[in-house]
Amino acid sequence: MKTTKTWWSAWIGLEFLILCQPPAAAAPPASGWFASDCPTGVELHPAQPLPMLLRVLTRPDDPGEDALLLRLPDGSLYAPRAVFTALDLPPPGTPLHYTGDEYHALDRIPGLRYAIDACRQVVSLDRAGVGATSTRRLTPRAATIAGPPEPGAYLQTQALYVRSESADAVSALIDGGLFGSGGLVRNSLLQDDGRTVRLDTSWMHDDPKSLTRLTLGDGITRGGSFGRSLRFGGVQWGREFALRPDLVTFPLPQIGDATALPSAVDVYVNNSLRATDDVPAGPFALTEVPVMSGAGEIQLVITDLLGRSRIVSYEFYAAPNLLRPGLSDYTVETGFERRAYGVNSLDYGAGFGAATWRYGVNERLTVEGHVETSHRLQVAGVGYALLLPRIGVLGSGIARGSGQGNGGSDGGEMFVTLDRQAPRWSYGAQYLVASERFVRLGEQRPPSLRRSVVRTSWHLDSGASLSLGWFDNRSADGHVNLLSLGYSQQLLSGVFASLGASLDLGGRDDNIAFLTLSYVMGRTLSAYAYGQRADAGMLGRVGMQKNPLDALDWSARAAVDTGLTERISAGGDWRTTRAVLHADVEDASESALRLGVDTGVVALGRESIWTRPLSGPFALVETSATSPVDVSFENRHAGTTQVGAPLLLPDLLPYQSNRISVAQADFGIDQRLDRFEQTIAAPGYGGVRVRFAADARVERRLRLVRPDGTPVPSGSDVAITGTDATTFVGHRGETVLTQSPGRHRLQVSWSDGACEADVSLGPDDTLLQPMQTVVCSAGSHTDNETR
């Protein structure tokens, strides 16, 4: 208990020092908005950057805040980011670093006026002449969901047959479900060695508006930084960010500048173009700049209307384990622990309850809390993640457990982590210490009593990379102490090499050294060679593989092992719209043959389709074509429709935009579609219909002639009464009329004349039919006349 109290005291003291800063000393009230009754007293061109502690006023009634400003030798005045926040303006240009803080030039904001009252130590800022800040959001907007799926069902299986010299075996994983507007009900079974075991049964309902998911039945807990993943049966409800893939949960950089003329802005992140936008004259702000996690650099290439370009650079650090300010993540779970999963169908243990909550306090700080309880233990933990821009993300937390008897939790756990990801140099460290009897749900003993982890990596200018890691873990089961080294380098075009070693520092004689060579030959074919030297002996492998090019392509693999294991193996997969077939053969101490098939059936409405397995939502693609049509998903061939039957596209991206298109070349000149490409956003489960319907309009070639039989002059304008459609007359009075079947009045005009005619289009009219001659009379009602 004394040790636990010491941990609590040390942790609270550490967090107080890190998170708390002493308040600034209060300055005497300032007066004088742009006062001019005091000599300037400030060097306009000091020999070196001159720091000035001033009270900053942004309006006449502003009580002001103290800030440290800089006067540079060129006369420009620089202010910290907080000053621009008070002005509601984006900090312009590249920041100037002084005593660890960032400063930006006030002179870079067109229209901003400022004056320094040296007698009162006040700087007055007037943004009245600054235009409104133009704000641009660079991340994509949320996709519009196509609506709840139609009622339907699915049943799919992954069957495997294994024949060896000792025995034959057949196993299958069976998964079935019902879906609709009420959610998804699913059940999975494992059939193996003549017995059937139930795996999971659950009902799931998603609410994209509130970003929450409710699950009843079997599931897996989300323990956060303190708990562990645990299979259970019960209720789980909480935040699910996967329902909004466009939502970036971690803070993104917000940058800006100012322009004197309307300009085009190109945004480069780590030298890669990520966005392009147009901004008006004046200050502008770019929010939610799409960046990758870790440290990097953003460059704005600003080009104005006169073609003049300039580059502005910003450093950033993005941390996915942080939450955006005001964003919360939470989960509540209650139920019974699942035991002997995959062995027994209905083996549940004691009841429990758990809750996890995370909240983004600001752009640099996210806090977290976790509680879990059962009849034998109670555990509570709190922690935080803090962004230190030039260092990385500092994380820390402490948990306390209590309970009754030998099965209870007694003691505590404390951890500290530090992580930094950068293009050239990355590192991470963790230290954890726990009591001998501190356990969480699903644990019988603590996995670590003391754990230390250190890792680092370097990326060199030559393209090579180095890595170093150390792992030391002490538990009731023993002590593991490993040091790992790694090096990788591209030797030639398409040839890559990597070597590494794992050294056992704990005296268990578990040392390993390895070397891998790989050669990429084209888009799908590659070869590799692997060698490993361990205390137990040598192991070598040479192999080749052919990867699939699209969803319906085939793949193959072959390898030869030597040393500790003598083995020759080969196999392949064949993917069709209805199944995925697997075949593998192996010649070792005991030869074996493995054959597998993955297939399923989907019902949507009154239709049922034989298909390959699903791993997400799907689409039924329907066309009105009279011949087979090739269908592409995200510009990759996905299958061919059959006449009168839809094509099922599995594995759509849930809650994201999915682009589906049909081949225009598969439609004849007399076949018209309303569109050849559609973008849909599917829900998280079930299916949606995608129809490429025939255009309701028909086309017919016409020859317009006057009553005397002469053609209407070329270039005449043709308007269809009651519509906005127009066309024109070509050579010898020829034109094409595209309208819905029925009777239409044509109004024809040219430079010195006009006429009118009535035309009837039939539902079967096409461009391939003989040209129809129509008499056009001046200002009178006429009927079609075919000649």
Side-chain angles (χ1 to χ4, degrees):
M1 185 63 68
K2 181 178 180 180
T3 303
T4 302
K5 291 182 178 178
T6 302
W7 286 354
W8 274 101
S9 301
W11 187 79
I12 293 174
L14 174 64
E15 311 320 311
F16 182 82
L17 291 175
I18 293 176
L19 301 180
C20 297
Q21 295 181 356
S31 61
W33 175 252
F34 279 89
S36 59
D37 58 348
C38 174
T40 175
V42 177
E43 280 190 86
L44 296 182
H45 299 279
Q48 57 186 0
L50 175 65
M52 299 180 295
L53 180 61
L54 301 173
R55 170 62 58 110
V56 179
L57 306 180
T58 59
R59 59 185 186 278
D61 60 344
D62 186 7
E65 293 286 343
D66 291 338
L68 186 69
L69 280 73
L70 295 177
R71 175 74 78 178
L72 266 62
D74 62 1
S76 59
L77 187 65
Y78 276 65
R81 179 179 290 268
V83 172
F84 295 90
T85 301
L87 291 169
D88 193 23
L89 293 173
T94 304
L96 172 68
H97 296 281
Y98 182 81
T99 65
D101 294 324
E102 294 183 354
Y103 293 80
H104 297 262
L106 290 169
D107 307 81
R108 292 286 300 273
I109 305 266
L112 178 67
R113 192 165 62 105
Y114 65 84
I116 298 177
D117 185 344
C119 296
R120 300 178 179 87
Q121 291 186 303
V122 169
V123 57
S124 301
L125 303 173
D126 182 11
R127 59 156 296 167
V130 180
T133 302
S134 174
T135 303
R136 297 289 193 271
R137 183 177 184 267
L138 297 184
T139 56
R141 297 290 181 179
T144 302
I145 305 302
E150 292 186 43
Y154 73 90
L155 178 66
Q156 57 191 27
T157 180
Q158 300 177 15
L160 178 65
Y161 166 72
V162 179
R163 178 178 178 82
S164 63
E165 296 177 359
S166 58
D168 294 346
V170 177
S171 61
L173 178 63
I174 304 170
D175 182 22
L178 303 173
F179 54 80
S181 58
L184 170 66
V185 178
R186 59 169 299 190
N187 184 64
S188 57
L189 305 171
L190 174 64
Q191 199 286 328
D192 187 20
D193 196 22
R195 60 189 298 265
T196 302
V197 178
R198 184 188 67 86
L199 297 180
D200 296 289
T201 304
S202 63
W203 170 73
M204 182 180 68
H205 182 267
D206 291 340
D207 186 358
K209 292 183 179 180
S210 63
L211 291 180
T212 58
R213 170 173 290 172
L214 173 64
T215 302
L216 301 179
D218 296 306
I220 301 176
T221 61
R222 293 169 55 189
S225 300
F226 303 96
R228 63 183 294 267
S229 297
L230 173 70
R231 289 192 177 273
F232 78 106
V235 182
Q236 183 182 63
W237 176 80
R239 186 79 79 183
E240 183 55 66
F241 291 125
L243 305 184
R244 278 278 309 277
D246 67 295
L247 177 65
V248 181
T249 60
F250 57 90
L252 289 177
Q254 299 190 11
I255 57 178
D257 206 278
T259 61
L261 296 173
S263 304
V265 180
D266 296 325
V267 182
Y268 288 83
V269 178
N270 295 334
N271 297 320
S272 176
L273 180 64
R274 302 302 299 272
T276 299
D277 207 346
D278 296 324
V279 297
F284 65 89
L286 302 179
T287 66
E288 301 187 14
V289 180
V291 299
M292 303 297 289
S293 62
E297 183 183 52
I298 299 174
Q299 288 185 325
L300 302 184
V301 180
I302 305 172
T303 306
D304 62 21
L305 287 178
L306 301 180
R308 298 174 299 187
S309 296
R310 57 188 175 91
I311 299 177
V312 183
S313 299
Y314 301 87
E315 293 182 351
F316 73 90
Y317 194 96
N321 54 337
L322 296 178
L323 289 177
R324 298 170 65 172
L327 186 63
S328 60
D329 185 14
Y330 50 86
T331 305
V332 179
E333 301 141 332
T334 182
F336 302 90
E337 296 182 35
R338 185 77 184 269
R339 301 181 302 193
Y341 181 80
V343 178
N344 297 328
S345 298
L346 295 169
D347 190 354
Y348 293 91
F352 74 93
T356 304
W357 176 76
R358 299 173 63 231
Y359 181 75
V361 178
N362 53 47
E363 293 185 351
R364 295 188 178 185
L365 177 63
T366 295
V367 295
E368 178 178 354
H370 175 79
V371 295
E372 55 187 45
T373 180
S374 69
H375 75 283
R376 67 181 182 90
L377 60 84
Q378 296 81 42
V379 175
V382 292
Y384 71 90
L386 177 66
L387 173 61
L388 306 174
R390 296 187 174 276
I391 299 176
V393 178
L394 174 69
S396 181
I398 189 168
R400 179 74 170 87
S402 63
Q404 301 296 327
N406 294 330
S409 182
D410 186 16
E413 177 185 88
M414 184 185 72
F415 69 87
V416 178
T417 63
L418 181 63
D419 182 80
R420 175 178 171 81
Q421 303 293 326
R424 294 185 60 86
W425 182 38
S426 301
Y427 57 80
Q430 180 193 64
Y431 178 75
L432 178 146
V433 60
S435 302
E436 294 183 359
R437 290 191 54 204
F438 176 76
V439 294
R440 296 161 293 189
L441 290 173
E443 293 179 348
Q444 299 300 321
R445 62 179 65 185
S448 296
L449 298 177
R450 192 178 302 272
R451 182 170 67 236
S452 301
V453 180
V454 177
R455 57 172 176 77
T456 183
S457 63
W458 298 269
H459 295 275
L460 308 180
D461 294 335
S462 62
S465 63
L466 297 169
S467 63
L468 174 66
W470 174 58
F471 176 79
D472 182 81
N473 185 66
R474 295 180 182 271
S475 67
D477 297 326
H479 179 209
V480 177
N481 191 355
L482 296 175
L483 178 67
S484 61
L485 306 165
Y487 174 82
S488 63
Q489 171 75 67
Q490 180 175 353
L491 302 180
L492 300 169
S493 177
V495 180
F496 301 86
S498 62
L499 57 90
S502 176
L503 306 179
D504 185 357
L505 305 181
R508 297 191 308 168
D509 293 332
D510 194 12
N511 302 304
I512 298 175
F514 67 87
L515 170 65
T516 301
L517 296 174
S518 61
Y519 177 41
V520 179
M521 299 171 285
R523 300 174 63 185
T524 62
L525 191 61
S526 61
Y528 63 92
Y530 173 81
Q532 173 183 302
R533 175 69 172 89
D535 293 333
M538 292 288 296
L539 175 64
R541 170 177 291 185
V542 177
M544 294 187 65
Q545 62 185 34
K546 189 267 182 189
N547 298 316
L549 190 59
D550 54 47
L552 299 180
D553 198 9
W554 60 278
S555 61
R557 52 197 170 270
V560 177
D561 294 359
T562 185
L564 292 175
T565 303
E566 298 290 340
R567 177 175 57 188
I568 301 175
S569 60
D573 306 310
W574 182 37
R575 298 166 178 83
T576 71
T577 57
R578 293 183 172 181
V580 180
L581 305 178
H582 311 278
D584 288 276
V585 294
E586 181 179 298
D587 183 14
S589 59
E590 185 175 306
S591 299
L593 170 66
R594 288 183 291 271
L595 300 176
V597 57
D598 304 341
T599 187
V601 178
V602 168
L604 189 65
R606 297 183 178 181
E607 295 178 287
S608 60
I609 300 176
W610 181 13
T611 178
R612 64 184 186 273
L614 308 174
S615 61
F618 63 91
L620 285 186
V621 181
E622 302 174 346
T623 71
S624 58
T626 58
S627 58
V629 176
D630 285 336
V631 179
S632 295
F633 173 51
E634 298 294 343
N635 293 328
R636 299 189 301 271
H637 181 252
T640 304
T641 64
Q642 301 301 317
V643 178
L647 173 68
L648 188 143
L649 294 185
D651 306 334
L652 298 187
L653 300 176
Y655 302 107
Q656 298 187 51
S657 297
N658 298 267
R659 188 168 65 254
I660 300 173
S661 59
V662 293
Q664 301 185 31
D666 291 341
F667 295 87
I669 193 173
D670 60 335
Q671 295 176 299
R672 295 181 58 87
L673 288 183
D674 54 353
R675 48 190 164 178
F676 292 95
E677 181 178 290
Q678 295 188 47
T679 300
I680 64 167
Y685 40 76
V688 294
R689 293 183 184 271
V690 180
R691 294 183 174 91
F692 291 90
D695 196 331
R697 301 173 300 173
V698 296
E699 292 182 318
R700 188 67 190 270
R701 295 187 300 150
L702 308 176
R703 176 180 288 115
L704 298 177
V705 298
R706 289 177 282 196
D708 60 1
T710 59
V712 170
S714 300
S716 300
D717 295 323
V718 180
I720 296 89
T721 303
T723 71
D724 296 331
T726 60
T727 184
F728 62 93
V729 177
H731 184 56
R732 293 184 300 179
E734 297 181 8
T735 189
V736 174
L737 182 62
T738 304
Q739 285 296 313
S740 58
R743 196 175 184 86
H744 302 277
R745 169 66 64 88
L746 306 184
Q747 296 179 337
V748 186
S749 60
W750 56 94
S751 59
D752 56 352
C755 65
E756 296 181 354
D758 284 342
V759 177
S760 292
L761 297 180
D764 298 325
D765 282 352
T766 67
L767 293 175
L768 301 180
Q769 291 176 297
M771 188 177 300
Q772 181 180 9
T773 301
V774 178
V775 177
C776 186
S777 301
S780 63
H781 178 82
T782 61
D783 292 328
N784 292 350
E785 179 182 350
T786 303
R787 299 184 179 180

